[in-house]
Amino acid sequence: MTRFLDLSATLDLLGYDFVQHALLAAAVLGLVSGALAPLVVARQMSFAVHGTAELAFTGGAAALLLGWSVGAGALAGAVVAALLLGLLGQRDGERDSVIGVVLSFGLGLGVLLLWLYPGRAANKFSLLVGQIVGVDSTDLALLAGAALVVLVVLAVVYRPLLFSSVDPAVAVARGVPARALSPLFAVLVGVATALGVQTVGALLVLALMVTPGAAATRVTANPVLATVLAVVFAEVAAVGGILLSLAPGVPVSGFVTGISFLIYLACRGVAATRRRRVAAA
Amino acid sequence: MSEATTVAEARAGGAGPSPLVRLRAARLAYGSRVLWDGLDLDVAPGEFLAVLGPNGSGKTSLMRVLLGLRPLTSGTVEIGGEPAHRGSRRIGYVPQQRAVDPTLAVRGRDLVGLGWDGHHWGLGLRGRRERRRRVDAALAAVGATRYANQPVGLLSGGEQQRLRVAQALVGDPDVLLCDEPLLSLDLAHQRVVSELVARRAREHGTAVLFVTHEINPVLPLVDRVLYLVNGRFRIGPPDEVMTSETLTELYGTPVQVVRVGDRIIVAGAENGGGQHHVQETP
C-alpha cells in the first residue's frame, strides 16, 4: 500500500520524457473524450463506442504486423468502423445488431493479426488494455493533431448535433441535416476512440468516452455544464490514473477506469440525495 | 370541389391579406396510393385551421410537405409567397407529445433555445444575450418560467407540451404547424395547449395548422376545418364540415355527428370513430 503513496518515486519518474509524454497524451485524451462524452450518452452510443474501439484495435494490430505506426493504424481502423456502423446501421432497430456483427468480426481479425505478429507479446497485449508509457513524440504529435481536428469540427457542428441528439423530430423539421450529422459524429467518436486505444486500450476506452458523460449528466441537465464536468472528470481519471500508477508500476488502465467509476458512483449518489431532498420538500 | 370549399376560398381569397400558406392542385401519392389530390388551400394570417381525419389519411404527410421535407407529387405549395423549403425560418413546428427519456440531460430552457438557434453552425457564443432574452420571453408567454431549469424528462406531459409551444414560437414564425400536440394529454392540458395556440394566432396573426384527433378541445377555437378521408377531403367552417351529411359523404359510410352539450361525438366513422380518439402510429 505504501508504494501507492511513494511520493518521491512518483516525482522521480515525472522527470522522464516518456512519463511526461504519457501525461500529455492523457490530458489531450481527457479533453477530447470529455467533450464528446455527454453527446455519446445522449445519443445512446456506448455500444457503438465499444465496437469502434475493437476495430481501432484491429487497425492497430494490422499496423503492428505491417510495421506501420500503431497510432495511424488504430485511427484508420476506427474511422472505417465508424463509417461502416454509420452506413450499415442507419435504422434504429438495426443499429444494435450491426454493431455486434461488425465488432465480433473485427476483434477476431485483430486476434489473428496479432498471432501473425512475430514481435514482443507486451506490444500485443497493450493494444487491448493500454500502455500509455509507449507513447513517443511522433504518436503525441498525431494525437494532438487529431484531437485538435475533432475539437474544431465538434465546435462547428455542436448546436445542430445537440439539437438532433435531444430532439430529433423538431431538429429535422427545422432543417438540421441529421442524416449527415450521424455518420460525422460517429467519425469524431472514432478518432477519439483511436486515440484512447493507444493509451488506455481498446477494452477500456469506454471509461473515458462514456463514464464521464454518464456521471456529468447525472448531476446536471445543463448541456454546457455537463460538457465542462465531463471534461474535468475525464481529465481527473486519465491524468490521475497515470500519476497513481507511476510509483507502484502497475498498468494505468486499472486506475483510470477505477477513478472514472468512483466519480460515476459519487455523481449517482449526489443525484439520489438531491432527489430525496426534493421529494421531502 | 364542393360547396364548403367554395365558401372557404371565397373567405380566404379576394380582398383579404395574402395567405401565408397556399396549396394549389396539390397531389400527394405513395406509389399508386393517393393520399389527396386537387387540394387547394389558403390559410390566412391569424387563421386557425384544424386538420382532421382518420389514421393514414395524409395529415402528417401534409405537415411534412409544408416543412419542405417531402415534395408534392404534383401541384404547388407556398409558405409566405415562396415555395416551401427545408428549415424555413417562417415556420414553427410542434411535434407529437412523446415520452422523453427521464435521464436526458436537457432543461426546458435548452429545448426552447434550440428552437431559436439550434440549426445554426458553431457554438453561438456571440448571440447569447439575445438568445437568453428570446428564450425567457417565449417561456413567459406559455407560463413555463417556473420549471424552465428542470430536466425536461422529469416534467409532466402538459409541461413538456407547453415547452414545445414555446420552442416553436421562439423564432417568431408566421406559420405554426402542430402535429397531434394534444396526444396523451389530459383534458385540462389539452385545453390549455389549444388555447395557447389559438391566442398566438389571434394576437400575432400567425397562421396555424393543427393536426389532431382530439376535436373537442379545439373545435370552439378553430376558424376552419380540413377533413381528410381516404383521398377525399372537405374544407370549411366547423359547422359546415362537422355534420352527419358531410362526413357520411366523405367516409362513404353512414356517420352520425351528435352534439352533446358543447361536445361533438362522431359515431360510425371507420378508424376515426367513437370519441375521435385513435392512437396515431408515428
Side-chain angles (χ1 to χ4, degrees):
Chain A
M1 191 63 213
T2 48
R3 279 200 307 160
F4 284 78
L5 304 166
D6 191 342
L7 205 60
S8 65
T10 305
L11 286 175
D12 195 29
L13 282 163
L14 280 177
Y16 287 92
D17 268 1
F18 75 91
V19 174
Q20 287 166 5
H21 283 162
L23 284 173
L24 264 175
V28 170
L29 183 63
L31 180 63
V32 174
S33 52
L36 292 172
L39 287 164
V40 169
V41 171
R43 297 175 78 88
Q44 304 181 348
M45 281 176 61
S46 299
F47 194 39
V49 168
H50 186 56
T52 312
E54 309 284 282
L55 276 111
F57 156 75
T58 309
L64 202 59
L65 184 63
L66 296 168
W68 299 344
S69 149
V70 171
L75 200 59
V79 170
V80 168
L83 288 174
L84 216 58
L85 298 184
L87 291 177
L88 292 178
Q90 283 277 11
R91 287 208 339 267
D92 264 5
E94 209 182 40
R95 214 171 63 176
D96 195 56
S97 57
V98 165
I99 296 168
V101 168
V102 174
L103 175 155
S104 56
F105 170 70
L107 194 56
L109 188 63
V111 169
L112 182 67
L113 291 170
L114 277 192
W115 179 78
L116 290 169
Y117 176 64
R120 280 198 314 127
N123 288 353
K124 307 178 179 182
F125 194 54
S126 72
L127 276 177
L128 278 174
V129 297
Q131 192 203 30
I132 199 151
V133 290
V135 181
D136 62 26
S137 52
T138 333
D139 288 336
L140 201 57
L142 179 73
L143 193 76
L148 188 68
V149 171
V150 170
L151 289 175
V152 168
V153 174
L154 181 66
V156 171
V157 301
Y158 180 75
R159 269 185 296 175
L161 192 61
L162 180 68
F163 200 177
S164 65
S165 304
V166 303
D167 196 8
V170 179
V172 169
R174 299 286 293 142
V176 171
R179 259 167 190 277
L181 284 176
S182 277
L184 178 67
F185 184 66
V187 169
L188 292 185
V189 167
V191 174
T193 308
L195 306 182
V197 166
Q198 277 194 286
T199 47
V200 291
L203 295 178
L204 305 168
V205 160
L206 292 173
L208 291 178
M209 290 292 298
V210 175
T211 314
T217 51
R218 280 275 156 189
V219 290
T220 179
N222 178 343
V224 176
L225 188 59
T227 305
V228 171
L229 280 179
V231 168
V232 171
F233 294 164
E235 290 289 359
V236 169
V239 177
I242 293 176
L243 287 177
L244 282 182
S245 74
L246 287 177
V250 295
V252 294
S253 318
F255 286 103
V256 173
T257 52
I259 294 172
S260 206
F261 184 60
L262 286 179
I263 291 172
Y264 177 72
L265 286 184
C267 287
R268 280 199 79 117
V270 168
T273 323
R274 216 186 267 168
R275 250 201 322 275
R276 232 170 297 145
R277 209 177 302 151
V278 170
Chain B
M1 183 115 224
S2 72
E3 202 180 336
T5 315
T6 325
V7 171
E9 278 182 348
R11 230 180 78 125
S18 56
L20 286 169
V21 174
R22 176 183 285 250
L23 286 149
R24 281 295 172 270
R27 172 190 170 94
L28 188 65
Y30 291 88
S32 61
R33 200 165 78 89
V34 178
L35 287 176
W36 25 264
D37 192 7
L39 179 60
D40 293 327
L41 175 67
D42 284 336
V43 187
E47 188 174 17
F48 191 147
L49 178 88
V51 182
L52 309 177
N55 291 338
S57 58
K59 305 187 298 291
T60 294
S61 298
L62 175 62
M63 297 284 119
R64 291 178 57 79
V65 164
L66 296 171
L67 286 166
L69 298 176
R70 228 205 117 72
L72 285 171
T73 314
S74 65
T76 59
V77 50
E78 287 177 3
I79 304 289
E82 43 186 282
H85 62 91
R86 247 181 103 105
S88 169
R89 276 245 77 150
R90 312 191 66 160
I91 299 181
Y93 175 66
V94 180
Q96 294 184 5
Q97 201 273 320
R98 288 219 189 111
V100 177
D101 176 7
T103 62
L104 189 68
V106 197
R107 300 164 299 170
R109 146 182 314 289
D110 301 313
L111 202 67
V112 176
L114 286 170
W116 169 245
D117 64 0
H119 56 294
H120 286 307
W121 304 110
L123 293 168
L125 297 177
R126 253 177 303 165
R128 263 189 318 178
R129 189 169 300 170
E130 168 78 352
R131 173 189 166 102
R132 190 175 174 87
R133 194 180 62 75
R134 290 273 183 169
V135 169
D136 283 341
L139 286 165
V142 299
T145 307
R146 189 173 50 80
Y147 46 84
N149 289 324
Q150 288 181 29
V152 174
L154 299 182
L155 300 176
S156 74
E159 289 167 335
Q160 286 176 10
Q161 236 16 25
R162 276 188 197 231
L163 290 170
R164 288 291 186 192
V165 174
Q167 182 192 38
L169 295 180
V170 67
D172 203 14
D174 298 326
V175 178
L176 182 61
L177 304 179
C178 306
D179 191 1
E180 297 282 3
L182 307 181
L183 209 65
S184 77
L185 297 184
D186 60 43
L187 201 61
H189 281 110
Q190 288 179 0
R191 288 232 171 84
V192 168
V193 171
S194 310
E195 270 155 23
L196 275 175
V197 170
R199 199 177 73 203
R200 171 75 193 191
R202 233 175 16 241
E203 291 174 2
H204 289 79
T206 310
V208 175
L209 280 86
F210 197 99
V211 173
T212 185
H213 275 98
E214 309 285 348
I215 52 176
N216 280 303
V218 292
L219 223 44
L221 304 166
V222 305
D223 300 305
R224 281 192 300 159
V225 170
L226 164 62
Y227 206 115
L228 297 159
V229 186
N230 305 329
R232 291 182 292 272
F233 62 87
R234 195 62 57 90
I235 305 169
D239 287 345
E240 286 176 31
V241 177
M242 302 306 289
T243 63
S244 300
E245 295 74 40
T246 311
L247 293 193
T248 298
E249 198 191 315
L250 269 178
Y251 277 94
T253 59
V255 174
Q256 283 283 324
V257 178
V258 188
R259 283 167 196 275
V260 183
D262 58 350
R263 288 176 63 82
I264 286 186
I265 294 168
V266 179
E270 175 212 12
N271 187 21
Q275 298 264 330
H276 236 266
H277 184 121
V278 186
Q279 69 291 349
E280 179 108 351
T281 43

mmCIF file of all heavy atoms in Angstrom, chain B residues 61-81:
data_model
loop_
_atom_site.group_PDB
_atom_site.id
_atom_site.type_symbol
_atom_site.label_atom_id
_atom_site.label_comp_id
_atom_site.label_asym_id
_atom_site.label_seq_id
_atom_site.Cartn_x
_atom_site.Cartn_y
_atom_site.Cartn_z
ATOM 1 N N SER B 61 -48.366 13.749 -43.438
ATOM 2 C CA SER B 61 -47.680 13.981 -44.717
ATOM 3 C C SER B 61 -47.873 15.423 -45.181
ATOM 4 O O SER B 61 -46.953 16.022 -45.753
ATOM 5 C CB SER B 61 -48.209 13.028 -45.786
ATOM 6 O OG SER B 61 -47.943 11.695 -45.418
ATOM 7 N N LEU B 62 -49.045 15.984 -44.909
ATOM 8 C CA LEU B 62 -49.289 17.388 -45.258
ATOM 9 C C LEU B 62 -48.303 18.291 -44.496
ATOM 10 O O LEU B 62 -47.716 19.215 -45.051
ATOM 11 C CB LEU B 62 -50.733 17.763 -44.937
ATOM 12 C CG LEU B 62 -51.123 19.231 -45.133
ATOM 13 C CD1 LEU B 62 -50.959 19.650 -46.584
ATOM 14 C CD2 LEU B 62 -52.546 19.501 -44.659
ATOM 15 N N MET B 63 -48.112 17.977 -43.201
ATOM 16 C CA MET B 63 -47.144 18.735 -42.403
ATOM 17 C C MET B 63 -45.748 18.634 -43.023
ATOM 18 O O MET B 63 -45.028 19.621 -43.139
ATOM 19 C CB MET B 63 -47.062 18.181 -40.968
ATOM 20 C CG MET B 63 -48.338 18.283 -40.167
ATOM 21 S SD MET B 63 -48.639 19.955 -39.591
ATOM 22 C CE MET B 63 -50.179 20.295 -40.386
ATOM 23 N N ARG B 64 -45.388 17.413 -43.428
ATOM 24 C CA ARG B 64 -44.044 17.210 -43.991
ATOM 25 C C ARG B 64 -43.872 17.963 -45.311
ATOM 26 O O ARG B 64 -42.798 18.453 -45.620
ATOM 27 C CB ARG B 64 -43.764 15.718 -44.175
ATOM 28 C CG ARG B 64 -43.612 14.979 -42.838
ATOM 29 C CD ARG B 64 -43.393 13.489 -43.014
ATOM 30 N NE ARG B 64 -42.231 13.183 -43.841
ATOM 31 C CZ ARG B 64 -40.961 13.224 -43.412
ATOM 32 N NH1 ARG B 64 -40.714 13.537 -42.173
ATOM 33 N NH2 ARG B 64 -39.974 12.937 -44.229
ATOM 34 N N VAL B 65 -44.963 18.057 -46.075
ATOM 35 C CA VAL B 65 -44.906 18.824 -47.326
ATOM 36 C C VAL B 65 -44.680 20.306 -47.006
ATOM 37 O O VAL B 65 -43.831 20.969 -47.613
ATOM 38 C CB VAL B 65 -46.207 18.637 -48.132
ATOM 39 C CG1 VAL B 65 -46.333 19.709 -49.204
ATOM 40 C CG2 VAL B 65 -46.247 17.248 -48.764
ATOM 41 N N LEU B 66 -45.412 20.817 -46.021
ATOM 42 C CA LEU B 66 -45.280 22.233 -45.680
ATOM 43 C C LEU B 66 -43.902 22.544 -45.101
ATOM 44 O O LEU B 66 -43.366 23.628 -45.288
ATOM 45 C CB LEU B 66 -46.372 22.640 -44.683
ATOM 46 C CG LEU B 66 -47.804 22.541 -45.222
ATOM 47 C CD1 LEU B 66 -48.813 22.738 -44.110
ATOM 48 C CD2 LEU B 66 -48.030 23.557 -46.337
ATOM 49 N N LEU B 67 -43.323 21.555 -44.399
ATOM 50 C CA LEU B 67 -41.987 21.737 -43.828
ATOM 51 C C LEU B 67 -40.890 21.589 -44.879
ATOM 52 O O LEU B 67 -39.713 21.780 -44.588
ATOM 53 C CB LEU B 67 -41.741 20.710 -42.711
ATOM 54 C CG LEU B 67 -42.468 20.955 -41.392
ATOM 55 C CD1 LEU B 67 -42.425 19.715 -40.515
ATOM 56 C CD2 LEU B 67 -41.869 22.141 -40.664
ATOM 57 N N GLY B 68 -41.283 21.197 -46.082
ATOM 58 C CA GLY B 68 -40.291 21.021 -47.140
ATOM 59 C C GLY B 68 -39.520 19.724 -47.021
ATOM 60 O O GLY B 68 -38.463 19.576 -47.618
ATOM 61 N N LEU B 69 -40.046 18.789 -46.223
ATOM 62 C CA LEU B 69 -39.352 17.515 -46.042
ATOM 63 C C LEU B 69 -39.811 16.478 -47.053
ATOM 64 O O LEU B 69 -39.223 15.414 -47.176
ATOM 65 C CB LEU B 69 -39.595 16.977 -44.619
ATOM 66 C CG LEU B 69 -39.086 17.855 -43.480
ATOM 67 C CD1 LEU B 69 -39.482 17.268 -42.137
ATOM 68 C CD2 LEU B 69 -37.580 18.012 -43.565
ATOM 69 N N ARG B 70 -40.912 16.766 -47.750
ATOM 70 C CA ARG B 70 -41.468 15.843 -48.733
ATOM 71 C C ARG B 70 -41.971 16.652 -49.906
ATOM 72 O O ARG B 70 -42.707 17.608 -49.706
ATOM 73 C CB ARG B 70 -42.664 15.125 -48.090
ATOM 74 C CG ARG B 70 -42.676 13.644 -48.270
ATOM 75 C CD ARG B 70 -44.041 13.048 -48.200
ATOM 76 N NE ARG B 70 -44.297 12.463 -49.482
ATOM 77 C CZ ARG B 70 -43.697 11.358 -49.915
ATOM 78 N NH1 ARG B 70 -42.894 10.718 -49.148
ATOM 79 N NH2 ARG B 70 -43.933 10.900 -51.110
ATOM 80 N N PRO B 71 -41.581 16.288 -51.120
ATOM 81 C CA PRO B 71 -42.113 17.034 -52.267
ATOM 82 C C PRO B 71 -43.524 16.569 -52.617
ATOM 83 O O PRO B 71 -43.887 15.424 -52.355
ATOM 84 C CB PRO B 71 -41.131 16.673 -53.388
ATOM 85 C CG PRO B 71 -40.574 15.341 -53.004
ATOM 86 C CD PRO B 71 -40.636 15.236 -51.506
ATOM 87 N N LEU B 72 -44.303 17.485 -53.178
ATOM 88 C CA LEU B 72 -45.615 17.092 -53.686
ATOM 89 C C LEU B 72 -45.426 16.218 -54.928
ATOM 90 O O LEU B 72 -44.435 16.350 -55.637
ATOM 91 C CB LEU B 72 -46.402 18.343 -54.100
ATOM 92 C CG LEU B 72 -46.990 19.194 -52.979
ATOM 93 C CD1 LEU B 72 -47.535 20.489 -53.580
ATOM 94 C CD2 LEU B 72 -48.082 18.440 -52.242
ATOM 95 N N THR B 73 -46.389 15.321 -55.168
ATOM 96 C CA THR B 73 -46.342 14.551 -56.403
ATOM 97 C C THR B 73 -46.628 15.473 -57.580
ATOM 98 O O THR B 73 -46.015 15.371 -58.639
ATOM 99 C CB THR B 73 -47.364 13.400 -56.344
ATOM 100 O OG1 THR B 73 -47.239 12.745 -55.073
ATOM 101 C CG2 THR B 73 -47.120 12.400 -57.449
ATOM 102 N N SER B 74 -47.592 16.376 -57.382
ATOM 103 C CA SER B 74 -47.798 17.449 -58.358
ATOM 104 C C SER B 74 -48.502 18.600 -57.664
ATOM 105 O O SER B 74 -48.999 18.462 -56.552
ATOM 106 C CB SER B 74 -48.618 16.946 -59.556
ATOM 107 O OG SER B 74 -49.918 16.598 -59.128
ATOM 108 N N GLY B 75 -48.533 19.762 -58.328
ATOM 109 C CA GLY B 75 -49.120 20.946 -57.707
ATOM 110 C C GLY B 75 -48.052 21.796 -57.046
ATOM 111 O O GLY B 75 -46.855 21.504 -57.139
ATOM 112 N N THR B 76 -48.492 22.873 -56.385
ATOM 113 C CA THR B 76 -47.533 23.794 -55.774
ATOM 114 C C THR B 76 -47.872 24.033 -54.312
ATOM 115 O O THR B 76 -49.027 23.933 -53.901
ATOM 116 C CB THR B 76 -47.535 25.167 -56.486
ATOM 117 O OG1 THR B 76 -48.850 25.712 -56.397
ATOM 118 C CG2 THR B 76 -47.101 25.040 -57.930
ATOM 119 N N VAL B 77 -46.832 24.338 -53.537
ATOM 120 C CA VAL B 77 -47.027 24.696 -52.135
ATOM 121 C C VAL B 77 -46.130 25.891 -51.820
ATOM 122 O O VAL B 77 -44.939 25.881 -52.120
ATOM 123 C CB VAL B 77 -46.729 23.507 -51.187
ATOM 124 C CG1 VAL B 77 -45.385 22.870 -51.488
ATOM 125 C CG2 VAL B 77 -46.787 23.938 -49.727
ATOM 126 N N GLU B 78 -46.760 26.929 -51.266
ATOM 127 C CA GLU B 78 -46.004 28.135 -50.923
ATOM 128 C C GLU B 78 -46.211 28.491 -49.457
ATOM 129 O O GLU B 78 -47.305 28.352 -48.922
ATOM 130 C CB GLU B 78 -46.482 29.321 -51.779
ATOM 131 C CG GLU B 78 -46.040 29.237 -53.221
ATOM 132 C CD GLU B 78 -46.604 30.392 -54.042
ATOM 133 O OE1 GLU B 78 -47.283 31.266 -53.459
ATOM 134 O OE2 GLU B 78 -46.365 30.401 -55.260
ATOM 135 N N ILE B 79 -45.120 28.936 -48.840
ATOM 136 C CA ILE B 79 -45.194 29.457 -47.475
ATOM 137 C C ILE B 79 -44.798 30.923 -47.548
ATOM 138 O O ILE B 79 -43.671 31.228 -47.947
ATOM 139 C CB ILE B 79 -44.211 28.714 -46.538
ATOM 140 C CG1 ILE B 79 -44.453 27.204 -46.546
ATOM 141 C CG2 ILE B 79 -44.286 29.280 -45.117
ATOM 142 C CD1 ILE B 79 -45.709 26.748 -45.864
ATOM 143 N N GLY B 80 -45.708 31.804 -47.208
ATOM 144 C CA GLY B 80 -45.412 33.233 -47.257
ATOM 145 C C GLY B 80 -44.970 33.686 -48.629
ATOM 146 O O GLY B 80 -44.094 34.539 -48.751
ATOM 147 N N GLY B 81 -45.526 33.100 -49.668
ATOM 148 C CA GLY B 81 -45.261 33.562 -51.029
ATOM 149 C C GLY B 81 -44.075 32.894 -51.709
ATOM 150 O O GLY B 81 -43.831 33.115 -52.887
#
